[in-house]
Amino acid sequence: RELLRGDRSPINLRLLLNETVQLWKPQAERKSISMALSFDPEDREITMLGHSELLIQVMNNLIDNALRYCPAGSKVHLHALQSEHGLQISVEDNGPGIPASERPLVVRRFYRGDQSPNAQPEQAAGSGLGLAIAFEIMTRLGGRFEITDPVSGQGTRIELMLPTD
């Protein structure tokens, strides 16, 4: 819990996510992967009290993971939703996906599900820490981290839920 010592500060989630996506767009474009970002409600600021540097680290880890495993022509979509239950952020891609049997394992440190002979060189370069760190940060923030099937049925969807109290 030492990680969370210090005051929470106001976070403009729209700004934070926009800036994060803009930082990753050049890498996505080099891999011919399209990135999109949407908000609900679309016209209102989404703000919360929190630790912005930790949230940025979570988002960087999730985007890096999506770009690492998705082949050219894939799509990565981030969506933020504010409701009475809190803040929900999803990162969804239409890449190869994470089998349901591996989902509890990929949030463990050093576990890598890319050991197949078809793994690309950039996939093999991973340390197996990205999702584990994101999971741990979300847990320490009092949030939830869940890997699900995307709406489209193919790929990976990671849902983050943060309390807004």
PDB file of all heavy atoms in Angstrom, residues 1-13 16-17 19-20 23-24 48-62 133-134 137-138 140-141 162:
ATOM      1  N   ARG A   1       0.803  -1.206   0.000  1.00  0.00           N
ATOM      2  CA  ARG A   1       0.000   0.000   0.000  1.00  0.00           C
ATOM      3  C   ARG A   1       0.851   1.278   0.000  1.00  0.00           C
ATOM      4  O   ARG A   1       0.318   2.348  -0.161  1.00  0.00           O
ATOM      5  CB  ARG A   1      -0.935  -0.004   1.206  1.00  0.00           C
ATOM      6  CG  ARG A   1      -1.913  -1.153   1.166  1.00  0.00           C
ATOM      7  CD  ARG A   1      -3.252  -0.691   0.715  1.00  0.00           C
ATOM      8  NE  ARG A   1      -4.164  -1.823   0.651  1.00  0.00           N
ATOM      9  CZ  ARG A   1      -4.865  -2.116  -0.403  1.00  0.00           C
ATOM     10  NH1 ARG A   1      -4.791  -1.386  -1.479  1.00  0.00           N
ATOM     11  NH2 ARG A   1      -5.671  -3.136  -0.419  1.00  0.00           N
ATOM     12  N   GLU A   2       2.144   1.126   0.193  1.00  0.00           N
ATOM     13  CA  GLU A   2       3.032   2.291   0.158  1.00  0.00           C
ATOM     14  C   GLU A   2       2.896   3.064  -1.145  1.00  0.00           C
ATOM     15  O   GLU A   2       3.096   4.252  -1.194  1.00  0.00           O
ATOM     16  CB  GLU A   2       4.498   1.858   0.321  1.00  0.00           C
ATOM     17  CG  GLU A   2       4.849   1.358   1.691  1.00  0.00           C
ATOM     18  CD  GLU A   2       4.712   2.421   2.757  1.00  0.00           C
ATOM     19  OE1 GLU A   2       5.179   3.557   2.541  1.00  0.00           O
ATOM     20  OE2 GLU A   2       4.125   2.125   3.806  1.00  0.00           O
ATOM     21  N   LEU A   3       2.547   2.339  -2.199  1.00  0.00           N
ATOM     22  CA  LEU A   3       2.410   2.918  -3.521  1.00  0.00           C
ATOM     23  C   LEU A   3       1.435   4.088  -3.532  1.00  0.00           C
ATOM     24  O   LEU A   3       1.577   5.016  -4.309  1.00  0.00           O
ATOM     25  CB  LEU A   3       1.903   1.811  -4.450  1.00  0.00           C
ATOM     26  CG  LEU A   3       1.670   2.098  -5.908  1.00  0.00           C
ATOM     27  CD1 LEU A   3       2.997   2.416  -6.579  1.00  0.00           C
ATOM     28  CD2 LEU A   3       1.045   0.895  -6.581  1.00  0.00           C
ATOM     29  N   LEU A   4       0.446   4.076  -2.639  1.00  0.00           N
ATOM     30  CA  LEU A   4      -0.614   5.076  -2.693  1.00  0.00           C
ATOM     31  C   LEU A   4      -0.477   6.167  -1.646  1.00  0.00           C
ATOM     32  O   LEU A   4      -1.402   6.935  -1.448  1.00  0.00           O
ATOM     33  CB  LEU A   4      -1.979   4.386  -2.557  1.00  0.00           C
ATOM     34  CG  LEU A   4      -2.272   3.403  -3.683  1.00  0.00           C
ATOM     35  CD1 LEU A   4      -3.653   2.803  -3.510  1.00  0.00           C
ATOM     36  CD2 LEU A   4      -2.163   4.074  -5.034  1.00  0.00           C
ATOM     37  N   ARG A   5       0.641   6.232  -0.966  1.00  0.00           N
ATOM     38  CA  ARG A   5       0.847   7.344  -0.031  1.00  0.00           C
ATOM     39  C   ARG A   5       0.870   8.621  -0.848  1.00  0.00           C
ATOM     40  O   ARG A   5       1.314   8.635  -1.982  1.00  0.00           O
ATOM     41  CB  ARG A   5       2.156   7.182   0.742  1.00  0.00           C
ATOM     42  CG  ARG A   5       2.243   5.904   1.521  1.00  0.00           C
ATOM     43  CD  ARG A   5       1.476   5.989   2.813  1.00  0.00           C
ATOM     44  NE  ARG A   5       1.327   4.644   3.336  1.00  0.00           N
ATOM     45  CZ  ARG A   5       1.304   4.372   4.608  1.00  0.00           C
ATOM     46  NH1 ARG A   5       1.409   5.322   5.484  1.00  0.00           N
ATOM     47  NH2 ARG A   5       1.158   3.145   5.010  1.00  0.00           N
ATOM     48  N   GLY A   6       0.421   9.679  -0.277  1.00  0.00           N
ATOM     49  CA  GLY A   6       0.379  10.925  -1.038  1.00  0.00           C
ATOM     50  C   GLY A   6      -1.048  11.211  -1.453  1.00  0.00           C
ATOM     51  O   GLY A   6      -1.895  10.329  -1.515  1.00  0.00           O
ATOM     52  N   ASP A   7      -1.290  12.465  -1.720  1.00  0.00           N
ATOM     53  CA  ASP A   7      -2.651  12.895  -1.995  1.00  0.00           C
ATOM     54  C   ASP A   7      -3.080  12.561  -3.411  1.00  0.00           C
ATOM     55  O   ASP A   7      -2.281  12.606  -4.345  1.00  0.00           O
ATOM     56  CB  ASP A   7      -2.762  14.408  -1.781  1.00  0.00           C
ATOM     57  CG  ASP A   7      -2.534  14.783  -0.328  1.00  0.00           C
ATOM     58  OD1 ASP A   7      -2.820  13.951   0.558  1.00  0.00           O
ATOM     59  OD2 ASP A   7      -2.058  15.906  -0.084  1.00  0.00           O
ATOM     60  N   ARG A   8      -4.358  12.274  -3.515  1.00  0.00           N
ATOM     61  CA  ARG A   8      -4.946  12.129  -4.844  1.00  0.00           C
ATOM     62  C   ARG A   8      -5.179  13.537  -5.380  1.00  0.00           C
ATOM     63  O   ARG A   8      -5.425  14.468  -4.625  1.00  0.00           O
ATOM     64  CB  ARG A   8      -6.272  11.378  -4.763  1.00  0.00           C
ATOM     65  CG  ARG A   8      -6.089   9.959  -4.250  1.00  0.00           C
ATOM     66  CD  ARG A   8      -7.365   9.175  -4.239  1.00  0.00           C
ATOM     67  NE  ARG A   8      -8.401   9.842  -3.459  1.00  0.00           N
ATOM     68  CZ  ARG A   8      -9.686   9.526  -3.490  1.00  0.00           C
ATOM     69  NH1 ARG A   8     -10.113   8.544  -4.268  1.00  0.00           N
ATOM     70  NH2 ARG A   8     -10.565  10.161  -2.757  1.00  0.00           N
ATOM     71  N   SER A   9      -5.082  13.678  -6.670  1.00  0.00           N
ATOM     72  CA  SER A   9      -5.315  14.988  -7.279  1.00  0.00           C
ATOM     73  C   SER A   9      -6.391  14.846  -8.353  1.00  0.00           C
ATOM     74  O   SER A   9      -6.645  13.741  -8.843  1.00  0.00           O
ATOM     75  CB  SER A   9      -4.011  15.536  -7.865  1.00  0.00           C
ATOM     76  OG  SER A   9      -3.469  14.598  -8.773  1.00  0.00           O
ATOM     77  N   PRO A  10      -7.008  15.964  -8.744  1.00  0.00           N
ATOM     78  CA  PRO A  10      -8.043  15.887  -9.779  1.00  0.00           C
ATOM     79  C   PRO A  10      -7.445  15.428 -11.108  1.00  0.00           C
ATOM     80  O   PRO A  10      -6.368  15.868 -11.498  1.00  0.00           O
ATOM     81  CB  PRO A  10      -8.555  17.324  -9.891  1.00  0.00           C
ATOM     82  CG  PRO A  10      -8.094  18.014  -8.654  1.00  0.00           C
ATOM     83  CD  PRO A  10      -6.841  17.313  -8.219  1.00  0.00           C
ATOM     84  N   ILE A  11      -8.141  14.523 -11.762  1.00  0.00           N
ATOM     85  CA  ILE A  11      -7.716  14.001 -13.065  1.00  0.00           C
ATOM     86  C   ILE A  11      -8.813  14.308 -14.073  1.00  0.00           C
ATOM     87  O   ILE A  11      -9.972  13.976 -13.844  1.00  0.00           O
ATOM     88  CB  ILE A  11      -7.491  12.478 -13.026  1.00  0.00           C
ATOM     89  CG1 ILE A  11      -6.386  12.104 -12.038  1.00  0.00           C
ATOM     90  CG2 ILE A  11      -7.165  11.943 -14.415  1.00  0.00           C
ATOM     91  CD1 ILE A  11      -6.237  10.603 -11.819  1.00  0.00           C
ATOM     92  N   ASN A  12      -8.434  14.935 -15.181  1.00  0.00           N
ATOM     93  CA  ASN A  12      -9.339  15.103 -16.312  1.00  0.00           C
ATOM     94  C   ASN A  12      -9.090  13.888 -17.201  1.00  0.00           C
ATOM     95  O   ASN A  12      -8.096  13.824 -17.916  1.00  0.00           O
ATOM     96  CB  ASN A  12      -9.030  16.407 -17.057  1.00  0.00           C
ATOM     97  CG  ASN A  12      -9.894  16.599 -18.284  1.00  0.00           C
ATOM     98  OD1 ASN A  12     -10.334  15.646 -18.924  1.00  0.00           O
ATOM     99  ND2 ASN A  12     -10.124  17.856 -18.610  1.00  0.00           N
ATOM    100  N   LEU A  13      -9.990  12.907 -17.109  1.00  0.00           N
ATOM    101  CA  LEU A  13      -9.765  11.647 -17.805  1.00  0.00           C
ATOM    102  C   LEU A  13      -9.772  11.817 -19.319  1.00  0.00           C
ATOM    103  O   LEU A  13      -9.012  11.151 -20.025  1.00  0.00           O
ATOM    104  CB  LEU A  13     -10.817  10.619 -17.391  1.00  0.00           C
ATOM    105  CG  LEU A  13     -10.484   9.197 -17.802  1.00  0.00           C
ATOM    106  CD1 LEU A  13      -9.272   8.685 -17.055  1.00  0.00           C
ATOM    107  CD2 LEU A  13     -11.654   8.277 -17.587  1.00  0.00           C
ATOM    108  N   LEU A  16      -6.285  13.082 -20.133  1.00  0.00           N
ATOM    109  CA  LEU A  16      -5.289  12.044 -19.873  1.00  0.00           C
ATOM    110  C   LEU A  16      -5.324  10.976 -20.962  1.00  0.00           C
ATOM    111  O   LEU A  16      -4.282  10.590 -21.508  1.00  0.00           O
ATOM    112  CB  LEU A  16      -5.542  11.421 -18.496  1.00  0.00           C
ATOM    113  CG  LEU A  16      -4.532  10.364 -18.040  1.00  0.00           C
ATOM    114  CD1 LEU A  16      -4.333  10.447 -16.529  1.00  0.00           C
ATOM    115  CD2 LEU A  16      -4.980   8.958 -18.407  1.00  0.00           C
ATOM    116  N   LEU A  17      -6.512  10.489 -21.318  1.00  0.00           N
ATOM    117  CA  LEU A  17      -6.609   9.442 -22.332  1.00  0.00           C
ATOM    118  C   LEU A  17      -6.258   9.966 -23.721  1.00  0.00           C
ATOM    119  O   LEU A  17      -5.604   9.278 -24.500  1.00  0.00           O
ATOM    120  CB  LEU A  17      -8.000   8.809 -22.322  1.00  0.00           C
ATOM    121  CG  LEU A  17      -8.325   7.963 -21.087  1.00  0.00           C
ATOM    122  CD1 LEU A  17      -9.746   7.440 -21.165  1.00  0.00           C
ATOM    123  CD2 LEU A  17      -7.338   6.832 -20.899  1.00  0.00           C
ATOM    124  N   GLU A  19      -4.142  12.389 -24.453  1.00  0.00           N
ATOM    125  CA  GLU A  19      -2.687  12.536 -24.512  1.00  0.00           C
ATOM    126  C   GLU A  19      -1.999  11.180 -24.621  1.00  0.00           C
ATOM    127  O   GLU A  19      -1.028  11.023 -25.369  1.00  0.00           O
ATOM    128  CB  GLU A  19      -2.179  13.295 -23.281  1.00  0.00           C
ATOM    129  CG  GLU A  19      -2.539  14.758 -23.309  1.00  0.00           C
ATOM    130  CD  GLU A  19      -2.114  15.513 -22.052  1.00  0.00           C
ATOM    131  OE1 GLU A  19      -1.654  14.869 -21.071  1.00  0.00           O
ATOM    132  OE2 GLU A  19      -2.245  16.742 -22.050  1.00  0.00           O
ATOM    133  N   THR A  20      -2.505  10.184 -23.891  1.00  0.00           N
ATOM    134  CA  THR A  20      -1.904   8.852 -23.921  1.00  0.00           C
ATOM    135  C   THR A  20      -2.045   8.237 -25.309  1.00  0.00           C
ATOM    136  O   THR A  20      -1.076   7.699 -25.866  1.00  0.00           O
ATOM    137  CB  THR A  20      -2.545   7.946 -22.849  1.00  0.00           C
ATOM    138  OG1 THR A  20      -2.398   8.581 -21.569  1.00  0.00           O
ATOM    139  CG2 THR A  20      -1.876   6.588 -22.796  1.00  0.00           C
ATOM    140  N   LEU A  23       0.328   9.796 -27.806  1.00  0.00           N
ATOM    141  CA  LEU A  23       1.704   9.316 -27.654  1.00  0.00           C
ATOM    142  C   LEU A  23       1.927   7.976 -28.349  1.00  0.00           C
ATOM    143  O   LEU A  23       3.013   7.703 -28.848  1.00  0.00           O
ATOM    144  CB  LEU A  23       2.054   9.172 -26.168  1.00  0.00           C
ATOM    145  CG  LEU A  23       2.370  10.457 -25.424  1.00  0.00           C
ATOM    146  CD1 LEU A  23       2.512  10.187 -23.937  1.00  0.00           C
ATOM    147  CD2 LEU A  23       3.654  11.078 -25.958  1.00  0.00           C
ATOM    148  N   TRP A  24       0.911   7.125 -28.373  1.00  0.00           N
ATOM    149  CA  TRP A  24       1.045   5.787 -28.939  1.00  0.00           C
ATOM    150  C   TRP A  24       0.701   5.730 -30.427  1.00  0.00           C
ATOM    151  O   TRP A  24       1.031   4.747 -31.095  1.00  0.00           O
ATOM    152  CB  TRP A  24       0.166   4.802 -28.167  1.00  0.00           C
ATOM    153  CG  TRP A  24       0.756   4.446 -26.847  1.00  0.00           C
ATOM    154  CD1 TRP A  24       0.461   4.997 -25.639  1.00  0.00           C
ATOM    155  CD2 TRP A  24       1.752   3.465 -26.588  1.00  0.00           C
ATOM    156  NE1 TRP A  24       1.216   4.422 -24.655  1.00  0.00           N
ATOM    157  CE2 TRP A  24       2.015   3.477 -25.208  1.00  0.00           C
ATOM    158  CE3 TRP A  24       2.458   2.569 -27.399  1.00  0.00           C
ATOM    159  CZ2 TRP A  24       2.947   2.627 -24.614  1.00  0.00           C
ATOM    160  CZ3 TRP A  24       3.387   1.721 -26.805  1.00  0.00           C
ATOM    161  CH2 TRP A  24       3.622   1.758 -25.425  1.00  0.00           C
ATOM    162  N   MET A  48     -12.090  12.837 -11.974  1.00  0.00           N
ATOM    163  CA  MET A  48     -12.054  12.024 -10.759  1.00  0.00           C
ATOM    164  C   MET A  48     -10.856  12.451  -9.919  1.00  0.00           C
ATOM    165  O   MET A  48      -9.955  13.129 -10.419  1.00  0.00           O
ATOM    166  CB  MET A  48     -11.932  10.539 -11.117  1.00  0.00           C
ATOM    167  CG  MET A  48     -10.623  10.202 -11.823  1.00  0.00           C
ATOM    168  SD  MET A  48     -10.387   8.452 -12.177  1.00  0.00           S
ATOM    169  CE  MET A  48     -10.038   7.795 -10.567  1.00  0.00           C
ATOM    170  N   LEU A  49     -10.872  12.066  -8.663  1.00  0.00           N
ATOM    171  CA  LEU A  49      -9.697  12.247  -7.816  1.00  0.00           C
ATOM    172  C   LEU A  49      -8.899  10.957  -7.884  1.00  0.00           C
ATOM    173  O   LEU A  49      -9.460   9.873  -7.751  1.00  0.00           O
ATOM    174  CB  LEU A  49     -10.114  12.503  -6.365  1.00  0.00           C
ATOM    175  CG  LEU A  49     -10.451  13.933  -5.994  1.00  0.00           C
ATOM    176  CD1 LEU A  49     -10.883  14.007  -4.536  1.00  0.00           C
ATOM    177  CD2 LEU A  49      -9.274  14.864  -6.236  1.00  0.00           C
ATOM    178  N   GLY A  50      -7.612  11.070  -8.114  1.00  0.00           N
ATOM    179  CA  GLY A  50      -6.822   9.856  -8.211  1.00  0.00           C
ATOM    180  C   GLY A  50      -5.344  10.138  -8.350  1.00  0.00           C
ATOM    181  O   GLY A  50      -4.873  11.237  -8.069  1.00  0.00           O
ATOM    182  N   HIS A  51      -4.632   9.122  -8.767  1.00  0.00           N
ATOM    183  CA  HIS A  51      -3.184   9.172  -8.961  1.00  0.00           C
ATOM    184  C   HIS A  51      -2.935   9.076 -10.461  1.00  0.00           C
ATOM    185  O   HIS A  51      -2.855   7.973 -11.016  1.00  0.00           O
ATOM    186  CB  HIS A  51      -2.511   8.020  -8.213  1.00  0.00           C
ATOM    187  CG  HIS A  51      -2.767   8.022  -6.737  1.00  0.00           C
ATOM    188  ND1 HIS A  51      -1.970   8.712  -5.867  1.00  0.00           N
ATOM    189  CD2 HIS A  51      -3.744   7.445  -5.997  1.00  0.00           C
ATOM    190  CE1 HIS A  51      -2.433   8.553  -4.630  1.00  0.00           C
ATOM    191  NE2 HIS A  51      -3.505   7.791  -4.691  1.00  0.00           N
ATOM    192  N   SER A  52      -2.813  10.224 -11.125  1.00  0.00           N
ATOM    193  CA  SER A  52      -2.732  10.228 -12.593  1.00  0.00           C
ATOM    194  C   SER A  52      -1.543   9.437 -13.114  1.00  0.00           C
ATOM    195  O   SER A  52      -1.658   8.732 -14.121  1.00  0.00           O
ATOM    196  CB  SER A  52      -2.709  11.659 -13.131  1.00  0.00           C
ATOM    197  OG  SER A  52      -1.591  12.358 -12.651  1.00  0.00           O
ATOM    198  N   GLU A  53      -0.384   9.514 -12.442  1.00  0.00           N
ATOM    199  CA  GLU A  53       0.795   8.811 -12.949  1.00  0.00           C
ATOM    200  C   GLU A  53       0.584   7.298 -12.941  1.00  0.00           C
ATOM    201  O   GLU A  53       1.075   6.592 -13.822  1.00  0.00           O
ATOM    202  CB  GLU A  53       2.064   9.205 -12.176  1.00  0.00           C
ATOM    203  CG  GLU A  53       2.070   8.850 -10.703  1.00  0.00           C
ATOM    204  CD  GLU A  53       1.192   9.734  -9.811  1.00  0.00           C
ATOM    205  OE1 GLU A  53       0.768  10.819 -10.229  1.00  0.00           O
ATOM    206  OE2 GLU A  53       0.918   9.311  -8.669  1.00  0.00           O
ATOM    207  N   LEU A  54      -0.170   6.794 -11.975  1.00  0.00           N
ATOM    208  CA  LEU A  54      -0.448   5.354 -11.936  1.00  0.00           C
ATOM    209  C   LEU A  54      -1.441   4.968 -13.024  1.00  0.00           C
ATOM    210  O   LEU A  54      -1.288   3.927 -13.672  1.00  0.00           O
ATOM    211  CB  LEU A  54      -0.979   4.946 -10.559  1.00  0.00           C
ATOM    212  CG  LEU A  54       0.016   5.090  -9.407  1.00  0.00           C
ATOM    213  CD1 LEU A  54      -0.640   4.740  -8.086  1.00  0.00           C
ATOM    214  CD2 LEU A  54       1.249   4.232  -9.650  1.00  0.00           C
ATOM    215  N   LEU A  55      -2.439   5.798 -13.235  1.00  0.00           N
ATOM    216  CA  LEU A  55      -3.416   5.522 -14.289  1.00  0.00           C
ATOM    217  C   LEU A  55      -2.756   5.569 -15.665  1.00  0.00           C
ATOM    218  O   LEU A  55      -3.039   4.731 -16.535  1.00  0.00           O
ATOM    219  CB  LEU A  55      -4.578   6.513 -14.197  1.00  0.00           C
ATOM    220  CG  LEU A  55      -5.807   6.181 -15.023  1.00  0.00           C
ATOM    221  CD1 LEU A  55      -6.304   4.764 -14.748  1.00  0.00           C
ATOM    222  CD2 LEU A  55      -6.907   7.189 -14.732  1.00  0.00           C
ATOM    223  N   ILE A  56      -1.835   6.510 -15.858  1.00  0.00           N
ATOM    224  CA  ILE A  56      -1.087   6.584 -17.118  1.00  0.00           C
ATOM    225  C   ILE A  56      -0.272   5.308 -17.314  1.00  0.00           C
ATOM    226  O   ILE A  56      -0.222   4.748 -18.413  1.00  0.00           O
ATOM    227  CB  ILE A  56      -0.183   7.839 -17.156  1.00  0.00           C
ATOM    228  CG1 ILE A  56      -1.039   9.100 -17.289  1.00  0.00           C
ATOM    229  CG2 ILE A  56       0.841   7.751 -18.285  1.00  0.00           C
ATOM    230  CD1 ILE A  56      -0.281  10.391 -17.027  1.00  0.00           C
ATOM    231  N   GLN A  57       0.348   4.814 -16.255  1.00  0.00           N
ATOM    232  CA  GLN A  57       1.140   3.583 -16.366  1.00  0.00           C
ATOM    233  C   GLN A  57       0.251   2.403 -16.755  1.00  0.00           C
ATOM    234  O   GLN A  57       0.629   1.587 -17.606  1.00  0.00           O
ATOM    235  CB  GLN A  57       1.879   3.284 -15.065  1.00  0.00           C
ATOM    236  CG  GLN A  57       2.794   2.077 -15.198  1.00  0.00           C
ATOM    237  CD  GLN A  57       3.654   1.836 -13.978  1.00  0.00           C
ATOM    238  OE1 GLN A  57       3.597   2.559 -12.990  1.00  0.00           O
ATOM    239  NE2 GLN A  57       4.468   0.805 -14.049  1.00  0.00           N
ATOM    240  N   VAL A  58      -0.932   2.317 -16.149  1.00  0.00           N
ATOM    241  CA  VAL A  58      -1.862   1.237 -16.507  1.00  0.00           C
ATOM    242  C   VAL A  58      -2.224   1.333 -17.981  1.00  0.00           C
ATOM    243  O   VAL A  58      -2.149   0.346 -18.722  1.00  0.00           O
ATOM    244  CB  VAL A  58      -3.138   1.290 -15.633  1.00  0.00           C
ATOM    245  CG1 VAL A  58      -4.218   0.361 -16.180  1.00  0.00           C
ATOM    246  CG2 VAL A  58      -2.814   0.932 -14.190  1.00  0.00           C
ATOM    247  N   MET A  59      -2.595   2.535 -18.435  1.00  0.00           N
ATOM    248  CA  MET A  59      -3.010   2.703 -19.830  1.00  0.00           C
ATOM    249  C   MET A  59      -1.845   2.401 -20.783  1.00  0.00           C
ATOM    250  O   MET A  59      -2.035   1.745 -21.807  1.00  0.00           O
ATOM    251  CB  MET A  59      -3.545   4.114 -20.072  1.00  0.00           C
ATOM    252  CG  MET A  59      -4.787   4.468 -19.261  1.00  0.00           C
ATOM    253  SD  MET A  59      -6.079   3.203 -19.239  1.00  0.00           S
ATOM    254  CE  MET A  59      -6.412   3.003 -20.969  1.00  0.00           C
ATOM    255  N   ASN A  60      -0.638   2.865 -20.445  1.00  0.00           N
ATOM    256  CA  ASN A  60       0.533   2.573 -21.285  1.00  0.00           C
ATOM    257  C   ASN A  60       0.761   1.067 -21.398  1.00  0.00           C
ATOM    258  O   ASN A  60       1.059   0.554 -22.479  1.00  0.00           O
ATOM    259  CB  ASN A  60       1.780   3.265 -20.744  1.00  0.00           C
ATOM    260  CG  ASN A  60       1.828   4.736 -21.066  1.00  0.00           C
ATOM    261  OD1 ASN A  60       1.213   5.201 -22.022  1.00  0.00           O
ATOM    262  ND2 ASN A  60       2.563   5.488 -20.268  1.00  0.00           N
ATOM    263  N   ASN A  61       0.636   0.350 -20.283  1.00  0.00           N
ATOM    264  CA  ASN A  61       0.848  -1.095 -20.305  1.00  0.00           C
ATOM    265  C   ASN A  61      -0.198  -1.790 -21.177  1.00  0.00           C
ATOM    266  O   ASN A  61       0.125  -2.708 -21.935  1.00  0.00           O
ATOM    267  CB  ASN A  61       0.832  -1.676 -18.889  1.00  0.00           C
ATOM    268  CG  ASN A  61       2.074  -1.317 -18.099  1.00  0.00           C
ATOM    269  OD1 ASN A  61       2.946  -0.599 -18.568  1.00  0.00           O
ATOM    270  ND2 ASN A  61       2.147  -1.803 -16.877  1.00  0.00           N
ATOM    271  N   LEU A  62      -1.461  -1.363 -21.070  1.00  0.00           N
ATOM    272  CA  LEU A  62      -2.520  -2.009 -21.850  1.00  0.00           C
ATOM    273  C   LEU A  62      -2.372  -1.723 -23.343  1.00  0.00           C
ATOM    274  O   LEU A  62      -2.551  -2.615 -24.178  1.00  0.00           O
ATOM    275  CB  LEU A  62      -3.896  -1.560 -21.353  1.00  0.00           C
ATOM    276  CG  LEU A  62      -4.238  -1.913 -19.903  1.00  0.00           C
ATOM    277  CD1 LEU A  62      -5.665  -1.508 -19.580  1.00  0.00           C
ATOM    278  CD2 LEU A  62      -4.010  -3.387 -19.625  1.00  0.00           C
ATOM    279  N   ILE A 133       1.493  -5.711 -13.757  1.00  0.00           N
ATOM    280  CA  ILE A 133       1.636  -4.401 -13.117  1.00  0.00           C
ATOM    281  C   ILE A 133       0.319  -3.634 -13.195  1.00  0.00           C
ATOM    282  O   ILE A 133      -0.124  -3.038 -12.204  1.00  0.00           O
ATOM    283  CB  ILE A 133       2.794  -3.606 -13.755  1.00  0.00           C
ATOM    284  CG1 ILE A 133       4.129  -4.251 -13.374  1.00  0.00           C
ATOM    285  CG2 ILE A 133       2.745  -2.136 -13.348  1.00  0.00           C
ATOM    286  CD1 ILE A 133       5.334  -3.718 -14.126  1.00  0.00           C
ATOM    287  N   ALA A 134      -0.332  -3.661 -14.357  1.00  0.00           N
ATOM    288  CA  ALA A 134      -1.616  -2.971 -14.505  1.00  0.00           C
ATOM    289  C   ALA A 134      -2.642  -3.536 -13.525  1.00  0.00           C
ATOM    290  O   ALA A 134      -3.378  -2.784 -12.874  1.00  0.00           O
ATOM    291  CB  ALA A 134      -2.116  -3.084 -15.944  1.00  0.00           C
ATOM    292  N   ILE A 137      -1.748  -2.378  -9.913  1.00  0.00           N
ATOM    293  CA  ILE A 137      -2.074  -0.959  -9.706  1.00  0.00           C
ATOM    294  C   ILE A 137      -3.573  -0.793  -9.531  1.00  0.00           C
ATOM    295  O   ILE A 137      -4.034  -0.100  -8.617  1.00  0.00           O
ATOM    296  CB  ILE A 137      -1.553  -0.082 -10.860  1.00  0.00           C
ATOM    297  CG1 ILE A 137      -0.019   0.008 -10.806  1.00  0.00           C
ATOM    298  CG2 ILE A 137      -2.171   1.324 -10.798  1.00  0.00           C
ATOM    299  CD1 ILE A 137       0.615   0.688 -12.017  1.00  0.00           C
ATOM    300  N   MET A 138      -4.355  -1.429 -10.393  1.00  0.00           N
ATOM    301  CA  MET A 138      -5.815  -1.301 -10.288  1.00  0.00           C
ATOM    302  C   MET A 138      -6.310  -1.822  -8.942  1.00  0.00           C
ATOM    303  O   MET A 138      -7.189  -1.224  -8.328  1.00  0.00           O
ATOM    304  CB  MET A 138      -6.503  -2.042 -11.438  1.00  0.00           C
ATOM    305  CG  MET A 138      -6.367  -1.347 -12.775  1.00  0.00           C
ATOM    306  SD  MET A 138      -7.000   0.354 -12.767  1.00  0.00           S
ATOM    307  CE  MET A 138      -8.728   0.038 -12.447  1.00  0.00           C
ATOM    308  N   ARG A 140      -4.627  -1.885  -6.125  1.00  0.00           N
ATOM    309  CA  ARG A 140      -4.231  -0.928  -5.086  1.00  0.00           C
ATOM    310  C   ARG A 140      -5.043   0.360  -5.136  1.00  0.00           C
ATOM    311  O   ARG A 140      -5.186   1.047  -4.136  1.00  0.00           O
ATOM    312  CB  ARG A 140      -2.742  -0.625  -5.178  1.00  0.00           C
ATOM    313  CG  ARG A 140      -1.918  -1.807  -4.749  1.00  0.00           C
ATOM    314  CD  ARG A 140      -0.459  -1.498  -4.799  1.00  0.00           C
ATOM    315  NE  ARG A 140       0.307  -2.671  -4.413  1.00  0.00           N
ATOM    316  CZ  ARG A 140       1.403  -2.620  -3.689  1.00  0.00           C
ATOM    317  NH1 ARG A 140       1.858  -1.474  -3.268  1.00  0.00           N
ATOM    318  NH2 ARG A 140       2.041  -3.719  -3.391  1.00  0.00           N
ATOM    319  N   LEU A 141      -5.557   0.683  -6.313  1.00  0.00           N
ATOM    320  CA  LEU A 141      -6.408   1.875  -6.447  1.00  0.00           C
ATOM    321  C   LEU A 141      -7.839   1.587  -6.003  1.00  0.00           C
ATOM    322  O   LEU A 141      -8.690   2.470  -6.047  1.00  0.00           O
ATOM    323  CB  LEU A 141      -6.418   2.377  -7.902  1.00  0.00           C
ATOM    324  CG  LEU A 141      -5.114   2.962  -8.429  1.00  0.00           C
ATOM    325  CD1 LEU A 141      -5.232   3.295  -9.906  1.00  0.00           C
ATOM    326  CD2 LEU A 141      -4.713   4.205  -7.632  1.00  0.00           C
ATOM    327  N   LEU A 162     -13.015   2.012 -11.823  1.00  0.00           N
ATOM    328  CA  LEU A 162     -12.453   2.786 -10.715  1.00  0.00           C
ATOM    329  C   LEU A 162     -13.583   3.446  -9.949  1.00  0.00           C
ATOM    330  O   LEU A 162     -14.473   4.050 -10.547  1.00  0.00           O
ATOM    331  CB  LEU A 162     -11.524   3.881 -11.252  1.00  0.00           C
ATOM    332  CG  LEU A 162     -10.184   3.410 -11.770  1.00  0.00           C
ATOM    333  CD1 LEU A 162      -9.549   4.475 -12.652  1.00  0.00           C
ATOM    334  CD2 LEU A 162      -9.266   3.080 -10.608  1.00  0.00           C
TER     335      LEU A 162
END
